[in-house]
Amino acid sequence: MKKHIKLLSLSLTLAGAVLSQSSYAAYPEKTITMLIPYGAGGGTDVLARALQPALEESLGQTVIVKNVPGGGGILGFTQLVHAKPDGYTVTIPNNVIFATEGMGNATYKYKDFDYLGNILTEDYIVAVRADGPWNSWNDLLKDMEEHPNKIKFGFSGYGGSTHVASQILANVAGYQAKQIPHDGSSKAVVAAMGGHIDALMLNLGDLSSGIKSGKLKPLLSLGSKRLSEYPDVPTLQETGIDLNLTNWRGIAAPAGVSDEVKVAWNKALEHAVKDEKFQQLIATQGGQVDFQKSGENLDKWMSLLAESFINTAHNLKK
């Protein structure tokens, strides 16, 4: 009888160990939804769909890209933070989550997200409609200085990342323009190409389609060095203003996901960014692959970015 009890106890112990291991390794076991808080065709949407095949291969599950535009990203990000923190609902965030917090436009805080990894960094770019009268940043700047609030300057979302960036540029460069928000980067691009606005501030990935169509012309980069694809476009620092602004794009989930979810996404993202087709796409859009896995270093970087952007946005609101 004792022998049977020992065997039963051993069986239960082994079964528990197997169950523990299988439950740990279970993620993901169903479809993952990636919420894109902008319309189709923008830089974030393009990035998501470029990542999709490699992520599905690595995670072994279907990844659905779902566009939830509205409020310059606020609607989608709000929906994300209210989702269950089980790793089956994620998003691609950027500086906008810090900007909207600083402007007081959103109910979420940057600490409501778990940052599962960074994918790339990207410069902010000023572009104009190609048939406009401005052939250089100096041409546009002179026009804005001589005619305050004449130029219609667009961006993606009131209180968003590009709004804050465009206001920072206006402050440091000393001009006044008529700032016009749009519900998503793709709508801002369409407005510029259609002549409804004169200039706009977006990330290069968001501007890529408009520039390649020949309807938009890049004039200025806020990054630290000239873009290899557009070597004739100067940086803000080259104009004598010691400032560079870059955006980032990664993967985030509602705060509270498990370590197994973080491990799975670290592996999936590391695999995805090594995909040749993905790297080629990022290069053609002017982005730079900058993979960073989740953990203390990434969280520290997010905190530093958050502090800077939140404070700047808060001051701009005053």
Side-chain angles (χ1 to χ4, degrees), residues 216-252:
L216 294 181
K217 179 169 49 180
L219 296 184
L220 183 72
S221 167
L222 275 64
S224 60
K225 59 183 180 181
R226 292 197 179 197
L227 299 163
S228 58
E229 192 175 357
Y230 303 103
D232 295 332
V233 177
T235 67
L236 181 61
Q237 290 178 321
E238 290 179 79
T239 70
I241 297 174
D242 188 19
L243 173 72
N244 75 81
L245 288 176
T246 58
N247 203 354
W248 61 280
R249 299 183 202 255
I251 296 291

PDB file of all heavy atoms in Angstrom, residues 216-252:
ATOM      1  N   LEU A 216       5.193  65.255 -52.753  1.00  0.00           N
ATOM      2  CA  LEU A 216       5.752  65.917 -51.575  1.00  0.00           C
ATOM      3  C   LEU A 216       7.262  66.022 -51.713  1.00  0.00           C
ATOM      4  O   LEU A 216       7.903  65.189 -52.364  1.00  0.00           O
ATOM      5  CB  LEU A 216       5.399  65.155 -50.302  1.00  0.00           C
ATOM      6  CG  LEU A 216       3.934  65.089 -49.881  1.00  0.00           C
ATOM      7  CD1 LEU A 216       3.787  64.313 -48.580  1.00  0.00           C
ATOM      8  CD2 LEU A 216       3.328  66.476 -49.745  1.00  0.00           C
ATOM      9  N   LYS A 217       7.822  67.026 -51.052  1.00  0.00           N
ATOM     10  CA  LYS A 217       9.256  67.279 -51.129  1.00  0.00           C
ATOM     11  C   LYS A 217       9.809  67.506 -49.717  1.00  0.00           C
ATOM     12  O   LYS A 217       9.349  68.410 -49.018  1.00  0.00           O
ATOM     13  CB  LYS A 217       9.498  68.509 -52.007  1.00  0.00           C
ATOM     14  CG  LYS A 217      10.933  68.922 -52.183  1.00  0.00           C
ATOM     15  CD  LYS A 217      11.055  69.975 -53.288  1.00  0.00           C
ATOM     16  CE  LYS A 217      10.070  71.105 -53.139  1.00  0.00           C
ATOM     17  NZ  LYS A 217      10.191  72.120 -54.228  1.00  0.00           N
ATOM     18  N   PRO A 218      10.764  66.680 -49.254  1.00  0.00           N
ATOM     19  CA  PRO A 218      11.337  66.880 -47.921  1.00  0.00           C
ATOM     20  C   PRO A 218      12.298  68.064 -47.914  1.00  0.00           C
ATOM     21  O   PRO A 218      13.099  68.232 -48.837  1.00  0.00           O
ATOM     22  CB  PRO A 218      12.078  65.563 -47.658  1.00  0.00           C
ATOM     23  CG  PRO A 218      12.466  65.070 -49.025  1.00  0.00           C
ATOM     24  CD  PRO A 218      11.342  65.500 -49.937  1.00  0.00           C
ATOM     25  N   LEU A 219      12.202  68.886 -46.868  1.00  0.00           N
ATOM     26  CA  LEU A 219      13.053  70.073 -46.778  1.00  0.00           C
ATOM     27  C   LEU A 219      14.002  70.060 -45.592  1.00  0.00           C
ATOM     28  O   LEU A 219      15.065  70.683 -45.648  1.00  0.00           O
ATOM     29  CB  LEU A 219      12.190  71.338 -46.686  1.00  0.00           C
ATOM     30  CG  LEU A 219      11.298  71.696 -47.866  1.00  0.00           C
ATOM     31  CD1 LEU A 219      10.622  73.041 -47.602  1.00  0.00           C
ATOM     32  CD2 LEU A 219      12.077  71.734 -49.167  1.00  0.00           C
ATOM     33  N   LEU A 220      13.617  69.359 -44.511  1.00  0.00           N
ATOM     34  CA  LEU A 220      14.411  69.440 -43.283  1.00  0.00           C
ATOM     35  C   LEU A 220      14.252  68.171 -42.466  1.00  0.00           C
ATOM     36  O   LEU A 220      13.150  67.630 -42.361  1.00  0.00           O
ATOM     37  CB  LEU A 220      13.952  70.637 -42.432  1.00  0.00           C
ATOM     38  CG  LEU A 220      14.716  70.915 -41.137  1.00  0.00           C
ATOM     39  CD1 LEU A 220      16.100  71.465 -41.442  1.00  0.00           C
ATOM     40  CD2 LEU A 220      13.935  71.889 -40.248  1.00  0.00           C
ATOM     41  N   SER A 221      15.354  67.705 -41.892  1.00  0.00           N
ATOM     42  CA  SER A 221      15.322  66.568 -40.971  1.00  0.00           C
ATOM     43  C   SER A 221      15.681  67.054 -39.578  1.00  0.00           C
ATOM     44  O   SER A 221      16.592  67.869 -39.414  1.00  0.00           O
ATOM     45  CB  SER A 221      16.322  65.493 -41.420  1.00  0.00           C
ATOM     46  OG  SER A 221      16.507  64.539 -40.387  1.00  0.00           O
ATOM     47  N   LEU A 222      14.967  66.546 -38.589  1.00  0.00           N
ATOM     48  CA  LEU A 222      15.275  66.903 -37.207  1.00  0.00           C
ATOM     49  C   LEU A 222      16.179  65.862 -36.550  1.00  0.00           C
ATOM     50  O   LEU A 222      16.409  65.907 -35.347  1.00  0.00           O
ATOM     51  CB  LEU A 222      13.996  67.087 -36.389  1.00  0.00           C
ATOM     52  CG  LEU A 222      13.349  68.478 -36.464  1.00  0.00           C
ATOM     53  CD1 LEU A 222      12.872  68.791 -37.878  1.00  0.00           C
ATOM     54  CD2 LEU A 222      12.185  68.599 -35.492  1.00  0.00           C
ATOM     55  N   GLY A 223      16.693  64.933 -37.342  1.00  0.00           N
ATOM     56  CA  GLY A 223      17.612  63.925 -36.831  1.00  0.00           C
ATOM     57  C   GLY A 223      19.021  64.474 -36.678  1.00  0.00           C
ATOM     58  O   GLY A 223      19.305  65.625 -37.008  1.00  0.00           O
ATOM     59  N   SER A 224      19.922  63.617 -36.204  1.00  0.00           N
ATOM     60  CA  SER A 224      21.289  64.054 -35.912  1.00  0.00           C
ATOM     61  C   SER A 224      22.198  64.039 -37.141  1.00  0.00           C
ATOM     62  O   SER A 224      23.260  64.654 -37.129  1.00  0.00           O
ATOM     63  CB  SER A 224      21.894  63.169 -34.820  1.00  0.00           C
ATOM     64  OG  SER A 224      21.922  61.819 -35.240  1.00  0.00           O
ATOM     65  N   LYS A 225      21.789  63.347 -38.203  1.00  0.00           N
ATOM     66  CA  LYS A 225      22.603  63.311 -39.422  1.00  0.00           C
ATOM     67  C   LYS A 225      21.702  63.202 -40.640  1.00  0.00           C
ATOM     68  O   LYS A 225      20.534  62.807 -40.551  1.00  0.00           O
ATOM     69  CB  LYS A 225      23.584  62.146 -39.384  1.00  0.00           C
ATOM     70  CG  LYS A 225      22.934  60.778 -39.256  1.00  0.00           C
ATOM     71  CD  LYS A 225      24.000  59.686 -39.162  1.00  0.00           C
ATOM     72  CE  LYS A 225      23.355  58.301 -39.042  1.00  0.00           C
ATOM     73  NZ  LYS A 225      24.370  57.228 -38.938  1.00  0.00           N
ATOM     74  N   ARG A 226      22.252  63.546 -41.804  1.00  0.00           N
ATOM     75  CA  ARG A 226      21.464  63.517 -43.026  1.00  0.00           C
ATOM     76  C   ARG A 226      21.042  62.087 -43.371  1.00  0.00           C
ATOM     77  O   ARG A 226      21.760  61.131 -43.096  1.00  0.00           O
ATOM     78  CB  ARG A 226      22.254  64.114 -44.188  1.00  0.00           C
ATOM     79  CG  ARG A 226      22.494  65.615 -44.048  1.00  0.00           C
ATOM     80  CD  ARG A 226      22.891  66.246 -45.358  1.00  0.00           C
ATOM     81  NE  ARG A 226      23.097  67.683 -45.224  1.00  0.00           N
ATOM     82  CZ  ARG A 226      23.130  68.534 -46.251  1.00  0.00           C
ATOM     83  NH1 ARG A 226      22.971  68.079 -47.494  1.00  0.00           N
ATOM     84  NH2 ARG A 226      23.327  69.818 -46.051  1.00  0.00           N
ATOM     85  N   LEU A 227      19.898  61.991 -43.990  1.00  0.00           N
ATOM     86  CA  LEU A 227      19.369  60.700 -44.396  1.00  0.00           C
ATOM     87  C   LEU A 227      20.094  60.219 -45.647  1.00  0.00           C
ATOM     88  O   LEU A 227      20.290  60.983 -46.594  1.00  0.00           O
ATOM     89  CB  LEU A 227      17.874  60.816 -44.679  1.00  0.00           C
ATOM     90  CG  LEU A 227      17.009  61.255 -43.487  1.00  0.00           C
ATOM     91  CD1 LEU A 227      15.658  61.730 -43.980  1.00  0.00           C
ATOM     92  CD2 LEU A 227      16.866  60.123 -42.499  1.00  0.00           C
ATOM     93  N   SER A 228      20.486  58.941 -45.640  1.00  0.00           N
ATOM     94  CA  SER A 228      21.215  58.399 -46.785  1.00  0.00           C
ATOM     95  C   SER A 228      20.373  58.429 -48.057  1.00  0.00           C
ATOM     96  O   SER A 228      20.895  58.611 -49.165  1.00  0.00           O
ATOM     97  CB  SER A 228      21.676  56.966 -46.492  1.00  0.00           C
ATOM     98  OG  SER A 228      20.566  56.137 -46.189  1.00  0.00           O
ATOM     99  N   GLU A 229      19.049  58.263 -47.913  1.00  0.00           N
ATOM    100  CA  GLU A 229      18.178  58.236 -49.076  1.00  0.00           C
ATOM    101  C   GLU A 229      17.914  59.630 -49.634  1.00  0.00           C
ATOM    102  O   GLU A 229      17.615  59.790 -50.820  1.00  0.00           O
ATOM    103  CB  GLU A 229      16.850  57.561 -48.725  1.00  0.00           C
ATOM    104  CG  GLU A 229      15.997  57.241 -49.931  1.00  0.00           C
ATOM    105  CD  GLU A 229      14.748  56.453 -49.562  1.00  0.00           C
ATOM    106  OE1 GLU A 229      14.574  56.116 -48.381  1.00  0.00           O
ATOM    107  OE2 GLU A 229      13.949  56.167 -50.475  1.00  0.00           O
ATOM    108  N   TYR A 230      18.049  60.661 -48.769  1.00  0.00           N
ATOM    109  CA  TYR A 230      17.823  62.039 -49.194  1.00  0.00           C
ATOM    110  C   TYR A 230      18.993  62.897 -48.707  1.00  0.00           C
ATOM    111  O   TYR A 230      18.839  63.735 -47.806  1.00  0.00           O
ATOM    112  CB  TYR A 230      16.494  62.561 -48.636  1.00  0.00           C
ATOM    113  CG  TYR A 230      15.313  61.712 -49.029  1.00  0.00           C
ATOM    114  CD1 TYR A 230      14.734  60.817 -48.126  1.00  0.00           C
ATOM    115  CD2 TYR A 230      14.778  61.782 -50.314  1.00  0.00           C
ATOM    116  CE1 TYR A 230      13.655  60.034 -48.500  1.00  0.00           C
ATOM    117  CE2 TYR A 230      13.697  61.000 -50.690  1.00  0.00           C
ATOM    118  CZ  TYR A 230      13.137  60.127 -49.784  1.00  0.00           C
ATOM    119  OH  TYR A 230      12.071  59.345 -50.154  1.00  0.00           O
ATOM    120  N   PRO A 231      20.163  62.713 -49.307  1.00  0.00           N
ATOM    121  CA  PRO A 231      21.378  63.380 -48.824  1.00  0.00           C
ATOM    122  C   PRO A 231      21.368  64.899 -48.975  1.00  0.00           C
ATOM    123  O   PRO A 231      22.181  65.595 -48.353  1.00  0.00           O
ATOM    124  CB  PRO A 231      22.489  62.755 -49.680  1.00  0.00           C
ATOM    125  CG  PRO A 231      21.795  62.287 -50.920  1.00  0.00           C
ATOM    126  CD  PRO A 231      20.441  61.844 -50.468  1.00  0.00           C
ATOM    127  N   ASP A 232      20.457  65.430 -49.802  1.00  0.00           N
ATOM    128  CA  ASP A 232      20.398  66.878 -49.999  1.00  0.00           C
ATOM    129  C   ASP A 232      19.538  67.581 -48.946  1.00  0.00           C
ATOM    130  O   ASP A 232      19.479  68.818 -48.921  1.00  0.00           O
ATOM    131  CB  ASP A 232      19.838  67.203 -51.392  1.00  0.00           C
ATOM    132  CG  ASP A 232      20.758  66.729 -52.514  1.00  0.00           C
ATOM    133  OD1 ASP A 232      21.983  66.662 -52.277  1.00  0.00           O
ATOM    134  OD2 ASP A 232      20.239  66.410 -53.604  1.00  0.00           O
ATOM    135  N   VAL A 233      18.875  66.800 -48.111  1.00  0.00           N
ATOM    136  CA  VAL A 233      18.011  67.385 -47.074  1.00  0.00           C
ATOM    137  C   VAL A 233      18.851  67.671 -45.822  1.00  0.00           C
ATOM    138  O   VAL A 233      19.384  66.753 -45.199  1.00  0.00           O
ATOM    139  CB  VAL A 233      16.848  66.433 -46.720  1.00  0.00           C
ATOM    140  CG1 VAL A 233      15.995  67.022 -45.595  1.00  0.00           C
ATOM    141  CG2 VAL A 233      15.982  66.172 -47.952  1.00  0.00           C
ATOM    142  N   PRO A 234      18.987  68.937 -45.428  1.00  0.00           N
ATOM    143  CA  PRO A 234      19.808  69.280 -44.258  1.00  0.00           C
ATOM    144  C   PRO A 234      19.135  68.923 -42.942  1.00  0.00           C
ATOM    145  O   PRO A 234      17.924  68.724 -42.889  1.00  0.00           O
ATOM    146  CB  PRO A 234      19.973  70.795 -44.389  1.00  0.00           C
ATOM    147  CG  PRO A 234      18.711  71.235 -45.077  1.00  0.00           C
ATOM    148  CD  PRO A 234      18.378  70.129 -46.049  1.00  0.00           C
ATOM    149  N   THR A 235      19.939  68.855 -41.903  1.00  0.00           N
ATOM    150  CA  THR A 235      19.411  68.644 -40.560  1.00  0.00           C
ATOM    151  C   THR A 235      19.184  69.995 -39.891  1.00  0.00           C
ATOM    152  O   THR A 235      19.759  71.015 -40.306  1.00  0.00           O
ATOM    153  CB  THR A 235      20.382  67.821 -39.699  1.00  0.00           C
ATOM    154  OG1 THR A 235      21.574  68.596 -39.465  1.00  0.00           O
ATOM    155  CG2 THR A 235      20.753  66.505 -40.392  1.00  0.00           C
ATOM    156  N   LEU A 236      18.377  69.999 -38.856  1.00  0.00           N
ATOM    157  CA  LEU A 236      18.127  71.227 -38.108  1.00  0.00           C
ATOM    158  C   LEU A 236      19.416  71.761 -37.497  1.00  0.00           C
ATOM    159  O   LEU A 236      19.643  72.973 -37.446  1.00  0.00           O
ATOM    160  CB  LEU A 236      17.079  70.963 -37.017  1.00  0.00           C
ATOM    161  CG  LEU A 236      16.675  72.158 -36.151  1.00  0.00           C
ATOM    162  CD1 LEU A 236      16.053  73.263 -36.998  1.00  0.00           C
ATOM    163  CD2 LEU A 236      15.708  71.714 -35.057  1.00  0.00           C
ATOM    164  N   GLN A 237      20.258  70.855 -37.047  1.00  0.00           N
ATOM    165  CA  GLN A 237      21.523  71.267 -36.442  1.00  0.00           C
ATOM    166  C   GLN A 237      22.405  72.015 -37.435  1.00  0.00           C
ATOM    167  O   GLN A 237      23.161  72.913 -37.053  1.00  0.00           O
ATOM    168  CB  GLN A 237      22.255  70.046 -35.880  1.00  0.00           C
ATOM    169  CG  GLN A 237      21.576  69.461 -34.644  1.00  0.00           C
ATOM    170  CD  GLN A 237      22.276  68.225 -34.115  1.00  0.00           C
ATOM    171  OE1 GLN A 237      22.735  67.395 -34.890  1.00  0.00           O
ATOM    172  NE2 GLN A 237      22.346  68.099 -32.798  1.00  0.00           N
ATOM    173  N   GLU A 238      22.301  71.647 -38.706  1.00  0.00           N
ATOM    174  CA  GLU A 238      23.093  72.341 -39.730  1.00  0.00           C
ATOM    175  C   GLU A 238      22.639  73.775 -39.930  1.00  0.00           C
ATOM    176  O   GLU A 238      23.389  74.601 -40.473  1.00  0.00           O
ATOM    177  CB  GLU A 238      23.023  71.581 -41.058  1.00  0.00           C
ATOM    178  CG  GLU A 238      23.758  70.256 -41.056  1.00  0.00           C
ATOM    179  CD  GLU A 238      23.627  69.530 -42.389  1.00  0.00           C
ATOM    180  OE1 GLU A 238      24.353  69.915 -43.332  1.00  0.00           O
ATOM    181  OE2 GLU A 238      22.798  68.606 -42.490  1.00  0.00           O
ATOM    182  N   THR A 239      21.427  74.095 -39.507  1.00  0.00           N
ATOM    183  CA  THR A 239      20.936  75.473 -39.637  1.00  0.00           C
ATOM    184  C   THR A 239      21.384  76.333 -38.454  1.00  0.00           C
ATOM    185  O   THR A 239      21.066  77.517 -38.402  1.00  0.00           O
ATOM    186  CB  THR A 239      19.405  75.500 -39.716  1.00  0.00           C
ATOM    187  OG1 THR A 239      18.837  75.145 -38.446  1.00  0.00           O
ATOM    188  CG2 THR A 239      18.891  74.552 -40.791  1.00  0.00           C
ATOM    189  N   GLY A 240      22.088  75.715 -37.506  1.00  0.00           N
ATOM    190  CA  GLY A 240      22.595  76.460 -36.358  1.00  0.00           C
ATOM    191  C   GLY A 240      21.797  76.272 -35.085  1.00  0.00           C
ATOM    192  O   GLY A 240      22.084  76.905 -34.066  1.00  0.00           O
ATOM    193  N   ILE A 241      20.790  75.389 -35.117  1.00  0.00           N
ATOM    194  CA  ILE A 241      19.977  75.117 -33.929  1.00  0.00           C
ATOM    195  C   ILE A 241      20.382  73.762 -33.367  1.00  0.00           C
ATOM    196  O   ILE A 241      20.223  72.732 -34.027  1.00  0.00           O
ATOM    197  CB  ILE A 241      18.478  75.133 -34.269  1.00  0.00           C
ATOM    198  CG1 ILE A 241      18.069  76.526 -34.763  1.00  0.00           C
ATOM    199  CG2 ILE A 241      17.640  74.741 -33.053  1.00  0.00           C
ATOM    200  CD1 ILE A 241      16.637  76.611 -35.256  1.00  0.00           C
ATOM    201  N   ASP A 242      20.910  73.756 -32.166  1.00  0.00           N
ATOM    202  CA  ASP A 242      21.450  72.521 -31.568  1.00  0.00           C
ATOM    203  C   ASP A 242      20.323  71.686 -30.959  1.00  0.00           C
ATOM    204  O   ASP A 242      20.128  71.664 -29.744  1.00  0.00           O
ATOM    205  CB  ASP A 242      22.494  72.861 -30.506  1.00  0.00           C
ATOM    206  CG  ASP A 242      23.223  71.610 -30.008  1.00  0.00           C
ATOM    207  OD1 ASP A 242      23.184  70.587 -30.722  1.00  0.00           O
ATOM    208  OD2 ASP A 242      23.817  71.669 -28.912  1.00  0.00           O
ATOM    209  N   LEU A 243      19.577  71.023 -31.826  1.00  0.00           N
ATOM    210  CA  LEU A 243      18.463  70.185 -31.375  1.00  0.00           C
ATOM    211  C   LEU A 243      18.265  69.064 -32.378  1.00  0.00           C
ATOM    212  O   LEU A 243      18.343  69.273 -33.587  1.00  0.00           O
ATOM    213  CB  LEU A 243      17.177  71.013 -31.282  1.00  0.00           C
ATOM    214  CG  LEU A 243      15.889  70.241 -30.987  1.00  0.00           C
ATOM    215  CD1 LEU A 243      15.871  69.763 -29.535  1.00  0.00           C
ATOM    216  CD2 LEU A 243      14.660  71.101 -31.277  1.00  0.00           C
ATOM    217  N   ASN A 244      18.048  67.830 -31.889  1.00  0.00           N
ATOM    218  CA  ASN A 244      17.615  66.752 -32.768  1.00  0.00           C
ATOM    219  C   ASN A 244      16.494  65.983 -32.078  1.00  0.00           C
ATOM    220  O   ASN A 244      16.533  65.771 -30.868  1.00  0.00           O
ATOM    221  CB  ASN A 244      18.784  65.848 -33.192  1.00  0.00           C
ATOM    222  CG  ASN A 244      19.245  64.917 -32.100  1.00  0.00           C
ATOM    223  OD1 ASN A 244      18.646  63.861 -31.867  1.00  0.00           O
ATOM    224  ND2 ASN A 244      20.316  65.290 -31.417  1.00  0.00           N
ATOM    225  N   LEU A 245      15.492  65.629 -32.863  1.00  0.00           N
ATOM    226  CA  LEU A 245      14.335  64.908 -32.352  1.00  0.00           C
ATOM    227  C   LEU A 245      14.132  63.640 -33.177  1.00  0.00           C
ATOM    228  O   LEU A 245      14.117  63.697 -34.406  1.00  0.00           O
ATOM    229  CB  LEU A 245      13.070  65.759 -32.449  1.00  0.00           C
ATOM    230  CG  LEU A 245      12.902  66.939 -31.492  1.00  0.00           C
ATOM    231  CD1 LEU A 245      11.633  67.694 -31.832  1.00  0.00           C
ATOM    232  CD2 LEU A 245      12.866  66.471 -30.055  1.00  0.00           C
ATOM    233  N   THR A 246      13.994  62.530 -32.514  1.00  0.00           N
ATOM    234  CA  THR A 246      13.693  61.279 -33.206  1.00  0.00           C
ATOM    235  C   THR A 246      12.514  60.592 -32.526  1.00  0.00           C
ATOM    236  O   THR A 246      12.257  60.816 -31.342  1.00  0.00           O
ATOM    237  CB  THR A 246      14.897  60.313 -33.204  1.00  0.00           C
ATOM    238  OG1 THR A 246      15.286  60.045 -31.845  1.00  0.00           O
ATOM    239  CG2 THR A 246      16.076  60.899 -33.958  1.00  0.00           C
ATOM    240  N   ASN A 247      11.835  59.780 -33.287  1.00  0.00           N
ATOM    241  CA  ASN A 247      10.736  58.985 -32.764  1.00  0.00           C
ATOM    242  C   ASN A 247      11.195  57.539 -32.646  1.00  0.00           C
ATOM    243  O   ASN A 247      12.274  57.185 -33.122  1.00  0.00           O
ATOM    244  CB  ASN A 247       9.522  59.069 -33.692  1.00  0.00           C
ATOM    245  CG  ASN A 247       8.213  58.770 -32.993  1.00  0.00           C
ATOM    246  OD1 ASN A 247       8.184  58.394 -31.827  1.00  0.00           O
ATOM    247  ND2 ASN A 247       7.116  58.924 -33.715  1.00  0.00           N
ATOM    248  N   TRP A 248      10.414  56.709 -32.025  1.00  0.00           N
ATOM    249  CA  TRP A 248      10.722  55.286 -31.897  1.00  0.00           C
ATOM    250  C   TRP A 248       9.426  54.517 -32.113  1.00  0.00           C
ATOM    251  O   TRP A 248       8.337  55.054 -31.947  1.00  0.00           O
ATOM    252  CB  TRP A 248      11.285  54.963 -30.505  1.00  0.00           C
ATOM    253  CG  TRP A 248      10.298  55.296 -29.409  1.00  0.00           C
ATOM    254  CD1 TRP A 248      10.049  56.534 -28.883  1.00  0.00           C
ATOM    255  CD2 TRP A 248       9.385  54.410 -28.754  1.00  0.00           C
ATOM    256  NE1 TRP A 248       9.040  56.460 -27.936  1.00  0.00           N
ATOM    257  CE2 TRP A 248       8.616  55.177 -27.836  1.00  0.00           C
ATOM    258  CE3 TRP A 248       9.149  53.031 -28.859  1.00  0.00           C
ATOM    259  CZ2 TRP A 248       7.640  54.602 -27.032  1.00  0.00           C
ATOM    260  CZ3 TRP A 248       8.166  52.476 -28.051  1.00  0.00           C
ATOM    261  CH2 TRP A 248       7.430  53.270 -27.145  1.00  0.00           C
ATOM    262  N   ARG A 249       9.552  53.280 -32.488  1.00  0.00           N
ATOM    263  CA  ARG A 249       8.386  52.407 -32.615  1.00  0.00           C
ATOM    264  C   ARG A 249       8.759  51.031 -32.089  1.00  0.00           C
ATOM    265  O   ARG A 249       9.797  50.487 -32.453  1.00  0.00           O
ATOM    266  CB  ARG A 249       7.916  52.309 -34.076  1.00  0.00           C
ATOM    267  CG  ARG A 249       7.485  53.643 -34.680  1.00  0.00           C
ATOM    268  CD  ARG A 249       6.979  53.449 -36.091  1.00  0.00           C
ATOM    269  NE  ARG A 249       7.033  54.662 -36.869  1.00  0.00           N
ATOM    270  CZ  ARG A 249       6.000  55.424 -37.192  1.00  0.00           C
ATOM    271  NH1 ARG A 249       4.797  55.091 -36.772  1.00  0.00           N
ATOM    272  NH2 ARG A 249       6.148  56.502 -37.931  1.00  0.00           N
ATOM    273  N   GLY A 250       7.907  50.517 -31.223  1.00  0.00           N
ATOM    274  CA  GLY A 250       8.155  49.204 -30.639  1.00  0.00           C
ATOM    275  C   GLY A 250       6.857  48.446 -30.475  1.00  0.00           C
ATOM    276  O   GLY A 250       5.867  48.713 -31.153  1.00  0.00           O
ATOM    277  N   ILE A 251       6.866  47.498 -29.560  1.00  0.00           N
ATOM    278  CA  ILE A 251       5.655  46.733 -29.240  1.00  0.00           C
ATOM    279  C   ILE A 251       5.341  46.936 -27.765  1.00  0.00           C
ATOM    280  O   ILE A 251       6.237  46.877 -26.912  1.00  0.00           O
ATOM    281  CB  ILE A 251       5.851  45.230 -29.511  1.00  0.00           C
ATOM    282  CG1 ILE A 251       6.098  44.979 -31.001  1.00  0.00           C
ATOM    283  CG2 ILE A 251       4.632  44.424 -29.031  1.00  0.00           C
ATOM    284  CD1 ILE A 251       4.900  45.223 -31.894  1.00  0.00           C
ATOM    285  N   ALA A 252       4.074  47.186 -27.467  1.00  0.00           N
ATOM    286  CA  ALA A 252       3.660  47.356 -26.080  1.00  0.00           C
ATOM    287  C   ALA A 252       2.353  46.606 -25.840  1.00  0.00           C
ATOM    288  O   ALA A 252       1.572  46.372 -26.766  1.00  0.00           O
ATOM    289  CB  ALA A 252       3.476  48.829 -25.739  1.00  0.00           C
TER     290      ALA A 252
END
